[in-house]
Amino acid sequence: MNKSENKKIANTLFPHIDSSIEKYIKKYPKRDLPTTAKITRFGPSPTGFLHIGGLFTAIVSERLAHQSKGVFFLRIEDTDKKREVKDGVRGIVSALEKFEIKIDEGIKSIDKKINKYGPYKQSDRKEIYLTFIKYLIETGNAYPCFCSPEELRIKRKSQELQKIRSGYYGEWALHRNITLDEVKNNLTQGRGFVIRLKSNGNEINKIPFNDLIKGNISIRENDLDVVLLKSDQLPTYHFAHVVDDYLMKTTHIIRGDEWLSSLPIHLQIFDLFNWQAPYYAHISPILKSDNGNKRKLSKRKDTEASVEYYFKEGYPSDAIIEYLLNIANPNFEDWRYQNPNLLNTEFEIKLEKFNKSGALFDINKLSNISKDIIAKMSENEMYDQTLKWTLEYDLNFAKKVSKNKDYLLKIFSVERNTDKPRKDIGKWSEVKNNIFYFFNDLFEEYISKNMITYPEILNENTVKEILTSYIKYYNSHLSKDDWFSDLKKFAESLGFASNIKLYKQKPNNYKGCVGDIAMVLRIALTSKSMAPDLHEIMHVMGEENVKERLQFSANNI
Ligand code: GLU
């Protein structure tokens, strides 16, 4: 087919579109940045919640850009109008905001946009795609295909029956050499069309390729005449990716490895335009163990696939980020150990340190990281985060939290700000269960539903005696050491050994030892046999509350 025929086809299809791609190439010049600066992007589709795997690529992309003094932008890939959900963009942007991912261009936050190399929303770039598509048709590298879905289905079926590779290629590419007259005819009949790539590749040919994560791999040339522009005149991922990342000057594409198989198509399109392709780094998915098999975390089946799940559970965003950094670069753990007080943004992420295959999602690891992070927070930060979380997810408890700020600050200060702070809270949803005993109503509610058990060696009467006697004995003004010496005296007065050694020497001489007394008090005050330091707990509760609680527990044995 000659050039002028191609031009006429292009004009017949897109009469109002200018095919001069130079206009755009000039409009978006090379960025004025040092050669080592990486330009990266995150391109979510607003088809539902933000996937944890999406967050992973977003963090990696952002860190790589900013660590190299480059640019990170957010591009909304909304070309699949059927799968789009209402408020999808808002959901993504607000989730990224919660992780403090710094966006330089695109939708920066719910109410702020930066439009340097934009528009950054693909549905606002229609005119651009049509210009580039028209150019490809004119140059004989793309053509309209009028096959109906039914015709394509029959084609596929017959390929299946003949046991040959399915797809639109070679002799199966019916409209590959469509003439101007045929185009006009089809249009007159009102038939819809897509624009396909006129592939010049041969699938026998293998091309060596260096992926920044997968390493040196070999890929097959693409010979499929894939769709570049859909019948709704919006581009497919393949076409939009190439045009956008070229114009926006992306240097490094970090994306899920489900795209690796279509990489030959992308390289081919870059080639057709004579553009240099960017570097690619294909990330393996986060896996889940399911009945002994490993599989991708699934949007439909696994609640933990959505970042919303982590917000609801109340993991601090830093814990999620650090967990993902651990998956990205396993040396992060060691770095964190060496640099306990640095911000995780200071950790230099390296693509060459990535695992080539997918990491297994490990909720225990996330929980441990989270406990470490929460343990290091100040009581004020604990308070702010707890209030924020409860306001969103547990309004009832939020009321208590906001009414009792000073009390909560004291509660949170128990065993905090020491060399070895207590690590018993892994997420904000655990706070209530962790500290409920500081509140009478919550304590009463708890024991109305749960059995409280005291040490087995002590019978009910002894427990009651310990509690009622201690109400009279308790002196709230003693320092920790004095208080404990005092407790020993109290133990002796009730026939208990003042230390375990004495007790072990002559167990028959005693009802138990001082440790049993402390255990009874701990359980009576908190309902738990494992709780923070007893002296601190009593100090925070205050004398009156302690006595009231001991009496209440004595009445409820
Ligand atoms: N919209 C694509 C996706 O959600 C983006 C892939 C890419 O980063 O290129 O998978």
Side-chain angles (χ1 to χ4, degrees), residues 41 43-45 75 77 237 241 245 253-255 258-259:
R41 85 301 193 263
S45 304
R75 182 171 66 224
E77 308 210 330
Y237 170 79
H241 151 48
D245 283 312
I253 310 276
I254 292 111
R255 64 182 180 186
E258 69 270 23
W259 294 111

Side-chain angles (χ1 to χ4, degrees), residues 18-29 131-132 135 246-247 273 275:
D18 179 6
S19 63
S20 140
I21 61 174
E22 286 309 315
K23 174 177 86 185
Y24 289 111
I25 294 177
K26 281 207 190 95
K27 185 170 170 198
Y28 304 109
T131 302
F132 284 85
Y135 172 85
Y246 171 72
L247 292 179
F273 282 114
W275 297 334

Side-chain angles (χ1 to χ4, degrees), residues 194-212:
V194 299
I195 303 294
R196 289 186 181 270
L197 170 73
K198 194 166 190 175
S199 175
N200 53 7
N202 186 338
E203 63 120 23
I204 298 174
N205 295 341
K206 287 190 171 173
I207 350 169
F209 183 78
N210 181 266
D211 183 271
L212 296 184

Side-chain angles (χ1 to χ4, degrees), residues 199-211 215-223 260-271 277 280:
S199 175
N200 53 7
N202 186 338
E203 63 120 23
I204 298 174
N205 295 341
K206 287 190 171 173
I207 350 169
F209 183 78
N210 181 266
D211 183 271
N216 287 327
I217 51 174
S218 150
I219 53 177
R220 276 181 200 284
E221 256 180 30
N222 168 58
D223 71 341
L260 197 54
S261 60
S262 38
L263 177 66
I265 302 173
H266 309 149
L267 295 177
Q268 194 178 14
I269 308 175
F270 272 107
D271 239 28
Y280 284 89

